[in-house]
Amino acid sequence: MKKIISTILIIILITCIGSNVLAETAQDIQNKIDEAQEQQQQIKEERSDTMKEIEKLSENITESENQLAELTQELNKLETEIKETEEQLNEAQEDFDEQEALLKTRLIAQYKAGKTSYLDVLLNSTSITDFISRYHYVSIVAQKDSELLDEIQKEKERIEKAKEQLENQKNEYKIKKANAEKQNVILKNNKELKESYIDKLNDDEKELQRQIDEYTSELNKIKQAMLNETPNGNYNKYTGGVMAWPTRIEKRVNSIYAPNGRSDTFGYAGSAHRGVDIRAPQGTPIYAAADGQVIYVNRSGWGGGYGLYVVISHGNGIYTLYGHGSSVPGNINVGTVVTTDMVILYSGSTGAAEGAHLHFEVWEGQNNRVNPCPYLGIENKEGPVV
Ligand SMILES: [Zn+2]
């Protein structure tokens, strides 16, 4: 739509040029081309900036990936350490179990010894000293075993604590890694977005170039038509006053005259709308707004955005342009003298138009596409004309 508006403006400029304002109009179209070229320049700068941003993002992604690799390595190391600790713990547990079993055996032995009568021990002892030492020995060994068991238990607890610390560390690293991964995804998405933005900028630039080419070729056509314009009969020259409304249906302005920009072109520089859009459903007969002579007719194609359109000279350097037609009556040709009761176009949505309507422009000689509203005796605002 924006492109369309921009294109339409250019076309209008081109179309509206009478031979006496040819040079000025050519200048105006040149301005339009300059504008498009300026937009291209803006796109180039925007693209250069975006590419720098992409470069920076690529660096950040590399950094982020290095960080991720480091974290992964650290995590793997921790996992290995935890595994080792687990093995140590298992060994300690085995030692503990073994020692515990041994102690039990000895305790049972001691217990049994305790049940044995002094006489039995005495009888089996070579001497009273032997008896005492034997009896004592059992309990000392048990005492040692018990101490050893305590030590193992302590060692086991130490290892468990170490393992717990490692697990905590591992969890911390897991969180760090998850965050780093998230960051990495964000950076990559951001980069992808920028890259698709570059694609869009490239497309926009191509589109602008296409428009420039189109405007230039349309300009040349109209220049030629203006050079060829010759008076072809008499008509009442426009000398002021309210022109006739170009339709015979309910009057309505769909979109206003906005020379300082109604909307943006491609989201860059503002682009003007140098006409008013008048309500005209598909096939509505469009009448000349004043008596005059047809100076340009485009019967097919894009028409630089105007689609099918007609330009009428009303004398005294006043021109009107009618754009987006669905067809031009056969009797309307360059040189045809027209009156306000003659259908000069049937409305449509050809060229750069969204939906059928009439794009209507008024030119005041010297290169000026002026506000058509005073000519139509209306206010420059959207809505029904009362
Ligand atoms: Zn328009």
Side-chain angles (χ1 to χ4, degrees):
M1 181 59 181
K2 289 165 184 176
K3 292 172 192 173
I4 291 169
I5 293 163
S6 169
T7 310
I8 290 172
L9 288 172
I10 290 166
I11 292 168
I12 291 168
L13 279 169
I14 293 166
T15 309
C16 289
I17 298 163
S19 55
N20 56 332
V21 291
L22 176 62
E24 291 82 356
T25 305
Q27 185 52 48
D28 199 17
I29 291 163
Q30 189 55 53
N31 289 347
K32 202 68 196 169
I33 290 167
D34 290 350
E35 199 182 294
Q37 276 164 349
E38 207 174 290
Q39 284 177 12
Q40 274 186 323
Q41 190 52 38
Q42 276 178 279
I43 287 174
K44 279 186 183 131
E45 280 163 23
E46 182 80 8
R47 186 171 48 200
S48 159
D49 288 350
T50 310
M51 278 174 141
K52 272 180 208 151
E53 284 167 23
I54 289 174
E55 212 175 293
K56 186 94 212 324
L57 278 169
S58 297
E59 278 168 25
N60 290 346
I61 287 168
T62 307
E63 224 171 84
S64 152
E65 269 163 6
N66 287 344
Q67 196 193 351
L68 260 176
E70 265 171 44
L71 285 169
T72 307
Q73 213 181 340
E74 196 61 39
L75 259 175
N76 289 343
K77 209 175 115 197
L78 279 169
E79 263 160 21
T80 309
E81 277 176 32
I82 287 168
K83 222 174 169 187
E84 279 169 11
T85 319
E86 265 166 7
E87 275 162 23
Q88 285 173 17
L89 201 60
N90 287 341
E91 271 169 38
Q93 187 64 50
E94 272 169 34
D95 285 356
F96 183 86
D97 293 346
E98 216 174 284
Q99 192 60 34
E100 196 180 41
L102 196 60
L103 182 61
K104 269 184 195 157
T105 314
R106 292 208 211 281
L107 285 174
I108 289 164
Q110 191 186 22
Y111 174 74
K112 279 182 179 165
K115 287 222 158 182
T116 312
S117 70
Y118 277 98
L119 184 62
D120 289 341
V121 177
L122 189 60
L123 285 176
N124 290 316
S125 300
T126 53
S127 65
I128 185 75
T129 316
D130 182 37
F131 160 72
I132 292 166
S133 74
R134 272 197 196 201
Y135 195 80
H136 213 62
Y137 175 75
V138 174
S139 84
I140 285 169
V141 168
Q143 180 62 33
K144 290 269 181 220
D145 282 344
S146 174
E147 280 168 16
L148 193 57
L149 197 64
D150 280 350
E151 270 170 38
I152 292 171
Q153 178 61 27
K154 272 180 197 151
E155 175 67 2
K156 222 178 89 181
E157 280 165 11
R158 191 191 60 77
I159 295 169
E160 263 169 359
K161 214 173 186 179
K163 192 190 161 200
E164 202 182 289
Q165 274 174 354
L166 285 169
E167 293 277 10
N168 287 343
Q169 225 176 328
K170 186 184 157 188
N171 286 338
E172 269 173 41
Y173 270 91
K174 266 188 176 168
I175 291 166
K176 271 191 208 168
K177 195 186 167 191
N179 285 339
E181 272 166 353
K182 215 198 297 177
Q183 191 58 27
N184 189 261
V185 168
I186 290 169
L187 286 169
K188 281 181 174 165
N189 283 348
N190 211 339
K191 192 184 167 197
E192 250 172 59
L193 276 176
K194 300 263 182 212
E195 279 167 350
S196 58
Y197 184 50
I198 289 277
D199 289 345
K200 186 196 169 290
L201 288 173
N202 288 339
D203 288 349
D204 286 357
E205 201 196 357
K206 266 187 218 150
E207 173 58 19
L208 279 169
Q209 190 54 53
R210 191 189 64 75
Q211 283 187 27
I212 288 169
D213 295 348
E214 214 169 65
Y215 300 156
T216 308
S217 108
E218 197 74 17
L219 170 66
N220 289 337
K221 271 193 258 172
I222 292 171
K223 266 187 193 172
Q224 200 53 48
M226 286 172 174
L227 287 172
N228 293 344
E229 186 192 354
T230 48
N232 192 34
N234 293 321
Y235 58 87
N236 295 320
K237 295 209 163 36
Y238 179 79
T239 54
V242 174
M243 288 181 171
W245 192 260
T247 70
R248 299 290 182 265
I249 59 170
E250 188 193 344
K251 299 178 185 177
R252 184 183 176 88
V253 171
N254 285 352
S255 191
I256 63 168
Y257 172 78
N260 295 323
R262 178 174 65 167
S263 55
D264 289 344
T265 299
F266 305 129
Y268 303 109
S271 183
H273 186 228
R274 293 198 170 89
V276 285
D277 290 347
I278 288 171
R279 177 180 170 263
Q282 185 74 21
T284 303
I286 305 298
Y287 296 85
D291 294 351
Q293 178 177 326
V294 175
I295 62 159
Y296 193 84
V297 176
N298 179 54
R299 290 188 187 277
S300 66
W302 180 252
Y306 285 128
L308 278 58
Y309 68 101
V310 173
V311 184
I312 299 171
S313 168
H314 303 288
N316 296 321
I318 301 296
Y319 302 86
T320 52
L321 178 147
Y322 311 77
H324 306 316
S326 56
S327 68
V328 182
N331 62 327
I332 299 300
N333 295 291
V334 172
T336 304
V337 170
V338 294
T339 54
T340 54
D341 57 2
M342 278 176 74
V343 174
I344 50 126
L345 185 75
Y346 290 97
S347 72
S349 55
T350 55
E354 267 181 20
H357 69 274
L358 169 66
H359 177 89
F360 180 76
E361 292 187 5
V362 175
W363 280 73
E364 281 179 5
Q366 304 302 310
N367 179 34
N368 287 326
R369 283 179 296 172
V370 299
N371 182 0
C373 294
Y375 283 89
L376 293 171
I378 61 168
E379 280 178 66
N380 188 23
K381 65 172 191 185
E382 280 179 22
V385 174
V386 288

